[in-house]
Amino acid sequence: MKKVVALLLSAMMLLTLATGCGGGKDAGSKTPDAGQTEQKTPDAGNTGTETPTGTSDLVVGFSTGAAGTTFRQEGIDDFTKVAEEYKAEGRIKDYKIVNNTTNWDANEQANIIRDFINDDAINVIVVNPNSPTDLNGVLAEAVAAGKTVVAADCEVDVEGVYCVSIDHYTWGHKVASYICEALGGEGNVIQVYGGEGHPANNERIRATDDVLKNYPNIKMISSTSGGWDNQTSKDITSQLLGSGQQIDGVITQDSMGYGCLSAFTDLGKEPKAAFVECGTANAKLYQELLDNGSTMKMCSQPNPPSIVASGLRVAVNLAEGKQPADGALGGLYGRAFIYDIKSWFTDETFQDMKALVENEGDDYLLTEYWSEDEVKAFFK
């Protein structure tokens, strides 16, 4: 890795001499292709600190994969905080954030990543992949081009690409197991899952399927994508309720818990057990049910939107030449830094969750990410 960084430094110095162009924000920015949304890096003067110059040549390109949801925006916000922290410390020179305009579109995301590869200033790429396989070719291209590449929020199987992720299988298994137990092992459940084809979503669906094998008296009457969107998930649940089918349990994910539950409450109904969003709006809604004598069982855990900020910390440490410590890597392919979620709530500990989110805006989702000291523990 140190040799790669040294070669990159030499190449960039020659490019600078040949063109006479300076660094700064222009080095990491270029006009996005039509249909792509680029978030420009904040002006260093707005941070209240002087950004050291010439102390690092690292420029980070971040492909978010999707935008327009609270989940994605919280992740982008915390990624930006960490990036500005690193700029102020002189550990990176600049960064560039590019969103998909068509959410979950792997082909569009591949083009964004190729733009990063072709940008000589960008030497670190962080990506939230929209597919477990469709991006493998372009990610391999990035590695071959000498870029440090980190996939955040899920895992991909590409040699040379490190991943930063929660264990999505364990996440989904824990939710599905709780719902099935809360129903006493019998009844009808629905599953409203996330983005079609997204690797994190695939793992959670697989976990739910495995759990249901152990509960023969629980029937899955519908399993449909809600696209990690509350309005979509509400529409789906409303349609199922309108069909007259009995729904006892709701297995869903982050950014959809409120939509599913509000579909019930709008009709004066409630499930026997459901996943409740680790967020302000869902906490208020569940508290209203409790105030009206509800006996609904609930479970909740965050899928931290800010996992991409943890991914940035890992990417910069790798780009600086640090090596993973023995035993630091795990996951599906042995190349992942696994983030262990700190929070888990049920109806018995709901008030603890409520206290964490009640003073935030209604669209707030509970999030977590590694501090620099926590990340350092993963490296030699």
Side-chain angles (χ1 to χ4, degrees), residues 358-373:
E358 62 183 345
N359 294 323
E360 304 289 344
D362 279 352
D363 59 351
Y364 175 76
L365 301 174
L366 190 64
T367 190
E368 312 168 349
Y369 62 98
W370 282 322
S371 68
E372 190 64 25
D373 285 342

Side-chain angles (χ1 to χ4, degrees), residues 14 39 44 71 105 217 376:
L14 288 171
Q39 291 191 232
F71 180 95
D105 187 334
N217 295 323
K376 284 180 180 177

Side-chain angles (χ1 to χ4, degrees), residues 41-158:
T41 58
D43 215 359
N46 292 333
T47 66
T49 60
E50 288 291 325
T51 302
T53 58
T55 55
S56 173
D57 74 329
L58 296 181
V59 177
V60 182
F62 174 33
S63 169
T64 67
T69 66
T70 299
F71 180 95
R72 293 285 163 157
Q73 193 56 52
E74 283 190 26
I76 291 168
D77 289 347
D78 284 333
F79 182 99
T80 302
K81 286 179 185 176
V82 174
E84 286 296 316
E85 170 192 322
Y86 284 161
K87 280 186 72 174
E89 294 173 353
R91 294 180 66 185
I92 67 171
K93 185 176 185 179
D94 209 346
Y95 61 99
K96 176 180 177 182
I97 300 171
V98 183
N99 302 324
N100 274 38
T101 56
T102 303
N103 288 348
W104 327 123
D105 187 334
N107 289 329
E108 181 187 2
Q109 189 172 34
N111 289 331
I112 292 169
I113 295 168
R114 285 196 176 93
D115 285 345
F116 290 163
I117 294 171
N118 293 328
D119 189 333
D120 291 335
I122 291 177
N123 36 36
V124 181
I125 297 175
V126 178
V127 55
N128 188 334
N130 283 335
S131 169
T133 56
D134 291 350
L135 295 172
N136 286 6
V138 71
L139 293 175
E141 289 174 27
V143 173
K147 315 288 184 177
T148 298
V149 185
V150 169
D153 193 32
C154 52
E155 297 181 60
V156 295
D157 187 13
V158 180

Side-chain angles (χ1 to χ4, degrees), residues 151-212:
D153 193 32
C154 52
E155 297 181 60
V156 295
D157 187 13
V158 180
E159 189 69 34
V161 175
Y162 289 94
C163 306
V164 176
S165 179
I166 69 169
D167 185 331
H168 289 283
Y169 180 89
T170 298
W171 194 102
H173 198 283
K174 198 168 185 177
V175 170
S177 295
Y178 180 87
I179 299 299
C180 291
E181 282 296 307
L183 293 178
E186 60 183 14
N188 293 338
V189 299
I190 63 171
Q191 176 175 240
V192 182
Y193 56 78
E196 289 276 13
H198 194 284
N201 183 59
N202 293 349
E203 283 300 291
R204 296 182 195 181
I205 292 173
R206 184 170 72 89
T208 298
D209 291 343
D210 285 350
V211 169
L212 289 178

Side-chain angles (χ1 to χ4, degrees), residues 4 12 16 20 32 36 38-39 46 55 59 181 201 205 212 218 249 253-254 275 280 298 302 379:
V4 172
M12 290 183 69
T16 300
Q36 294 175 6
E38 177 183 353
Q39 291 191 232
N46 292 333
T55 55
V59 177
E181 282 296 307
N201 183 59
I205 292 173
L212 289 178
I218 290 183
Q253 303 176 15
D254 46 273
F275 173 82
T280 308
M298 61 78 73
F379 292 92

